[in-house]
Amino acid sequence: MDPQNTDVIQGTLDMLILKTLSLESLHGFGIARRIEQVSRGVFKVNPGSLLTAFQRLERAGLLDSEWRQTENARRAKFYTLTRAGRKQLEVETADWTRRVSAVTRLLKAEG
Amino acid sequence: MSLWRQLVRGLTALTNRAASDRAIDDEVRHYYEETVAAHLARGLSQDEAKRAARIEMGNPTVVAEQVRDYGWENLVATSLSDLRYSARVLRRTPVFAMVVILVVSLGSGAVATVFSALNALVLRPIAGIRDADRLLTLSPIRSDGLILQQGSFADYSFLRSRSQTVSDLAAWGKVSLTIAGAGEGTIVWGNMVSGNYFDALHVRPHLGRFFSFDEDRTPLAQPVIVVSHAFWSSRLGGDPGVVGRAILVNGHPFTLIGIAPRHFRGIYTGIRADAWVPLMMQPLLRPRADLATSSWLWMFGRLKDRVPIESAQAEFPSLVTTHARESGEAQGPAGFRSMRVFHFTGLPGGEGVMVVRFLGVLLAAAALVLLIAGVNVAAMLTARSIGRARELAMRAALGAGRIRLARQVLTEILLLFLCGAVGGWMLALLATNALEHVSLPANLPILIELSPDARVLIFSICSALAVGVVFGLVPAVRAARLDITAQLRDGAGDSRWRPSLVNRMLIVGQLSLSLVLLVSAGLFTRSLVRGQQIDPGFQMAGVVTTSFETESWGYNQTRAQAFYAALRSRIQSIPGVIDVSYVSRLPLTGGSTTEEIQIDGATIGVHIAAVDAGYFSTLRMPIVQGRAFLRLDDERSERVAIVNESLARRLASDRNAIGRTFRFLGKPTTIVGIVGDAKYATLGESTPLFAYFPIAQKWQPTQSLLVRTNGDAEWIGPAIEHVVLALDPAVPRPHVASMKEATAIVLLPQRVAALVTGVLGAVGLALAAVGLYGMMAYSVQRRSREMGIRFALGAQRSTVVGMVVREGLTLAVLAIVIGVSLAAAAAQAIQGFLFNVSPLDSATFATMSLVFLSIASVASYLPARRAAVSDPIAALRAE
């Protein structure tokens, strides 16, 4: 397996899903593919974790879902961000940025 | 919002499992197909693409499984399946299940029964009263700290006009009423109440109305009455038309204005009231001048809106001080110095604490039985878990998780305890029904509905489940830590099985707990016996008694005096009657009357009774010095008193008390005799200062008749009834009882405690003995091979019996050591309820340990004998 290809960082999967869905509604495979592509293959999404995360986010009211036809005529479950989901994404993004800059500062200081 | 979604989605998934599973499967399949399609697009062949997709995402079934595991509803679903499985397992072993349920029912039933009493007396809201949490009761405190409970009308009026924290301050006193509705007169207990009594309680009438403003202001102006729903339906035929009509109350016409709501019987649980009349009617119904100043009114009130009870608790003591200052008396008019404010409960302020403590002791005893039952069941379960090890090992081998196995075993146990709790509740129904029919000393207006309600059911289920969790954990953990391979390899079971340490501990535990119960029961019984042996200072045997409430018959003093005199002379002429007398308050019925006497400038508080001539000879009380009362001591002659030895010593330690004079109710009174000390209110009291006055000089309309006969007194009751009804056919039929019966209430707590702990002790011991027997029997059965070898090698039967019995007795002796120390600690807690018995009474401890040891011997000997008669050849061949 490609050594560059790692699992999504613990705890960031929800944020990545929300971010991906903030652009357009997608089905599960689409989201996984989008995350892999945008991260240039750094992150690989585990389907079990992904589909479970959908259940969780949907129950939390951050996502809505509906069954629709895909462009290649398959029936798929499409997820859409709700208003609450959009708000949650903002919160998580801000939080993430804050943490990342803190970690970066720490690493630089040590270096 | 999201909680709502959680709930709705969870419930949808739970109720339509198939649809939600299908949706997940579809989603996973779509993901798989897209992955395959992506690989196909990269140029792989169909087979290669499928393989790559599987490698990438793993087994789709496992993924679907993983997604399905999310959500709380899965916990419910697995619990339900555990429950179904448990029910199936238990149905396979019905005898075992029935025995366990029965054992738990016994323990749970004990707890539920005692809790029912606690519930009925303390916890259950009083029927008909609303917003009871804003109500409070006022209790005057005497200077020596005694809670008096009642105050005078003057106190009440003052507090009612001055209080800023309470919106409706109400007062009530007891009154006995004879109501002539349809048919013969009925004597009922009534309450004489202030006009705001019902308003303060927020009680609404079932029919008609309650008292109005002017009925509360003008003495004697408005003869109106409210009756209870029960009285209305039983005595007035439940006819709505009677409201507004006149009925005769103590011979006076009253207008019936309202019917109280169903079940409302006044504010104190267990003390029943059937009628309510305004306080303003007091001069007519209790015509005595001293009721303005004497303390006979209970007081309660409703807090104003947004006023905390602390404000009232601060206000009333200071109001009492103000009142005392304004009325120019140091201690307040009725001799009380302060006032306590209690939250309103169904029990009078001071007594509530005692009742709760007493029931707490009984509840603890019942909890011990439940604990014994729990230990007993735990022992049975561990014994069975050995037999079930193979089944559990098989399930573990097939892939059941260890947590899941433990949970399943626990579910099974909790199911048993749940059934047991329901069984216990049903036992409590039977037990409380029986208790309600226990006859109490007659003439007491007591009505206690013990029947267990939903609260009792919830309590018994919770307590049983708590015990179930505690004792179910051991077998559950065992199930999780099972050694699978060992179990599956030699499934035949261990022929060298001996009770494990856990088993022994459980047996010793229940044996020692049952000993604690036995010792407590022994202490209470001994205390009851001692109480019955206490010399009250007079002889009850051969004396019968009955009480008359002439006020409630509408008699004035002249007519009542004529009645009492005529009754006395007619009874005296009955052959076999030795002595006849009257007393204002029967001794040993729990209450007392206190007054003050002044002598040499000092004021002394004394307990008093007004008695008729012949009182001391009727009760065989010794006149130590001077003389007894005579018929000549009437209102025209010099005021006289007879004092008990304690008061005589107090008044004249160095001189003769006879002939000394004190002031009583403003009149000089001369001591003419000294009588031996006795018990007055209760058997446990320390002898109070006591003074007797001739009933002719201190008139009391309510009197108890005392008649001493020679020998058997069976025949005298009907004779007295006959004489009374011959004198006035309109008065209620008197209830004649022996003095022993009439004073039985004085030992009621000891009687109840001895009975309850006795029954609980017997149940506990039976459970523990069965537990010991069961373990020994099981052990002997598992060791039949070892026994066979011993016999084959020439062991004597007596040796083998001795070996088994010794094993059982070792446990019993260990249990005695533990149980005796626990019982010693428990005895300290019940000390306050014991009479003349040390909590460490060695005789009780020794007797109960002996009883215990003999039962334990029997429980070990029976299995031992079975081992001894078994056939060695058969035992060896069976292996």
Side-chain angles (χ1 to χ4, degrees), chain B residues 455-680:
Chain B
R455 195 200 303 259
V456 175
L457 181 62
I458 291 170
F459 179 82
S460 47
I461 286 180
C462 289
S463 55
L465 286 186
V467 172
V469 167
V470 169
F471 292 107
L473 276 178
V474 178
V477 168
R478 265 187 182 206
R481 297 210 328 231
L482 204 63
D483 180 359
I484 302 174
T485 41
Q487 282 303 330
L488 292 181
R489 203 173 42 230
D490 64 350
D494 189 354
S495 63
R496 293 181 312 277
W497 188 87
R498 273 166 191 263
S500 69
L501 184 65
V502 175
N503 276 81
R504 286 164 202 270
M505 270 165 49
L506 291 174
I507 296 293
V508 170
Q510 51 181 308
L511 285 173
S512 30
L513 289 179
S514 71
L515 184 58
V516 173
L517 278 180
L518 277 186
V519 169
S520 319
L523 286 174
F524 277 124
T525 308
R526 208 167 156 78
S527 164
L528 179 63
V529 172
R530 287 275 171 89
Q532 283 163 340
Q533 286 167 350
I534 289 175
D535 177 16
F538 51 82
Q539 282 180 27
M540 283 197 244
V543 179
V544 297
T545 181
T546 183
S547 301
F548 302 105
E549 313 249 353
T550 55
E551 261 178 356
S552 81
W553 305 342
Y555 280 18
N556 58 18
Q557 183 172 344
T558 320
R559 192 160 171 209
Q561 276 170 328
F563 167 81
Y564 283 128
L567 181 65
R568 182 179 53 209
S569 64
R570 289 215 193 171
I571 291 177
Q572 227 153 18
S573 65
I574 298 174
V577 169
I578 299 170
D579 275 311
V580 182
S581 189
Y582 295 104
V583 60
S584 57
R585 184 196 284 272
L586 201 64
L588 297 187
T589 47
S592 63
T593 312
T594 54
E595 289 283 0
E596 285 168 349
I597 59 172
Q598 284 87 30
I599 186 163
D600 301 335
T603 298
I604 301 172
V606 294
H607 294 251
I608 64 156
V611 300
D612 192 23
Y615 179 74
F616 301 111
S617 60
T618 306
L619 288 183
R620 302 273 193 264
M621 294 174 78
I623 298 290
V624 179
Q625 229 184 326
R627 66 169 174 89
F629 291 132
L630 305 168
R631 292 275 148 73
L632 302 168
D633 298 317
D634 59 16
E635 60 261 65
R636 287 181 301 275
S637 64
E638 181 201 23
R639 303 277 145 173
V640 293
I642 291 176
V643 299
N644 71 350
E645 288 170 296
S646 298
L647 182 55
R649 271 196 301 277
R650 172 71 196 278
L651 294 178
S653 50
D654 47 343
R655 287 172 293 153
N656 190 348
I658 302 281
R660 296 208 63 189
T661 301
F662 58 78
R663 289 188 82 78
F664 176 65
L665 297 177
K667 296 203 177 78
T669 307
T670 308
I671 299 173
V672 295
I674 299 172
V675 69
D677 281 343
K679 298 291 178 190
Y680 303 97

Side-chain angles (χ1 to χ4, degrees), chain B residues 72 128 216 245 258 315-316 374 388 409 413 431 448 660 680 715 806 833:
Chain B
W72 59 266
D216 194 27
R245 282 210 214 131
E315 182 189 36
F316 281 97
R388 276 189 72 193
V409 169
I413 293 164
I448 301 175
R660 296 208 63 189
Y680 303 97
W715 51 272
R806 203 157 44 240
F833 299 101

Side-chain angles (χ1 to χ4, degrees), chain B residues 800-869:
Chain B
V800 172
V801 169
M803 185 184 75
V804 175
V805 170
R806 203 157 44 240
E807 208 175 305
L809 285 188
T810 313
L811 298 183
V813 169
L814 191 60
I816 287 181
V817 174
I818 299 173
V820 162
S821 6
L822 287 178
Q828 301 296 328
I830 58 171
Q831 191 167 12
F833 299 101
L834 298 179
F835 252 146
N836 292 3
V837 175
S838 148
L840 296 178
D841 185 58
S842 50
T844 307
F845 275 75
T847 316
M848 288 306 161
S849 301
L850 266 179
V851 168
F852 178 82
L853 202 60
S854 44
I855 300 278
S857 313
V858 173
S860 331
Y861 175 70
L862 291 178
R865 208 189 50 178
R866 222 172 56 182
V869 299

Side-chain angles (χ1 to χ4, degrees), chain B residues 48-346:
Chain B
E48 283 168 334
K50 279 187 182 168
R51 228 168 67 85
R54 273 184 187 276
I55 289 168
E56 197 181 316
M57 70 180 286
N59 183 349
T61 317
V62 174
V63 172
E65 214 37 66
Q66 190 186 344
V67 177
R68 207 174 292 150
D69 266 354
Y70 174 78
W72 59 266
E73 70 273 11
N74 287 295
L75 203 65
V76 178
T78 46
S79 300
L80 281 178
S81 80
D82 278 351
L83 215 55
R84 273 195 298 273
Y85 184 79
S86 303
R88 257 199 329 268
V89 168
L90 293 177
R91 256 209 311 273
R92 274 210 309 269
T93 51
V95 176
F96 172 81
M98 290 309 290
V99 170
V100 171
I101 290 172
L102 182 69
V103 166
V104 177
S105 296
L106 285 174
S108 184
V111 169
T113 305
V114 178
F115 187 75
S116 292
L118 188 70
N119 183 40
L121 287 173
V122 186
L123 302 175
R124 190 157 54 195
I126 297 162
I129 298 178
R130 293 178 214 198
D131 316 310
D133 53 323
R134 299 294 294 165
L135 289 173
L136 43 81
T137 45
L138 304 180
S139 292
I141 307 286
R142 213 166 61 184
S143 44
D144 60 4
L146 189 78
I147 297 174
L148 290 177
Q149 296 179 13
Q150 289 144 294
S152 70
F153 188 75
D155 303 326
Y156 166 65
S157 309
F158 180 85
L159 295 174
R160 183 178 178 179
S161 62
R162 295 290 184 93
S163 171
Q164 299 295 316
T165 57
V166 166
S167 58
D168 268 315
L169 189 63
W172 62 280
K174 278 189 293 193
V175 58
S176 106
L177 303 170
T178 305
I179 300 182
E184 62 174 17
T186 319
I187 189 155
V188 301
W189 285 94
N191 289 347
M192 232 182 252
V193 302
S194 59
N196 57 358
Y197 173 91
F198 291 105
D199 295 339
L201 294 173
H202 286 187
V203 175
R204 310 274 153 72
H206 175 74
L207 272 181
R209 63 173 178 89
F210 290 146
F211 305 120
S212 68
F213 182 77
D214 55 336
E215 284 156 2
D216 194 27
R217 288 299 140 118
T218 330
L220 296 175
Q222 309 283 343
V224 288
I225 185 168
V226 171
V227 298
S228 72
H229 190 279
F231 183 87
W232 173 65
S233 30
S234 66
R235 296 289 172 162
L236 303 176
D239 171 19
V242 295
V243 175
R245 282 210 214 131
I247 55 176
L248 280 181
V249 178
N250 294 1
H252 310 285
F254 273 60
T255 309
L256 180 63
I257 56 165
I259 312 294
R262 194 188 292 269
H263 301 310
F264 178 76
R265 310 303 288 271
I267 69 165
Y268 285 151
T269 317
I271 300 177
R272 167 186 82 205
D274 266 311
W276 292 267
V277 289
L279 265 182
M280 289 299 124
M281 301 311 294
Q282 177 250 313
L284 186 69
L285 298 173
R286 285 186 79 173
R288 268 189 282 168
D290 60 347
L291 284 187
T293 51
S294 76
S295 301
W296 67 293
L297 293 174
W298 280 273
M299 289 178 261
F300 65 91
R302 181 170 287 280
L303 281 169
K304 285 184 178 164
D305 285 344
R306 287 183 295 283
V307 172
I309 192 166
E310 290 76 21
S311 313
Q313 278 161 344
E315 182 189 36
F316 281 97
S318 73
L319 279 182
V320 168
T321 316
T322 314
H323 185 29
R325 196 176 53 241
E326 286 179 12
S327 59
E329 291 179 51
Q331 290 194 331
F336 65 87
R337 173 165 285 175
S338 184
M339 186 156 246
R340 284 258 288 280
V341 175
F342 293 96
H343 275 290
F344 184 88
T345 64

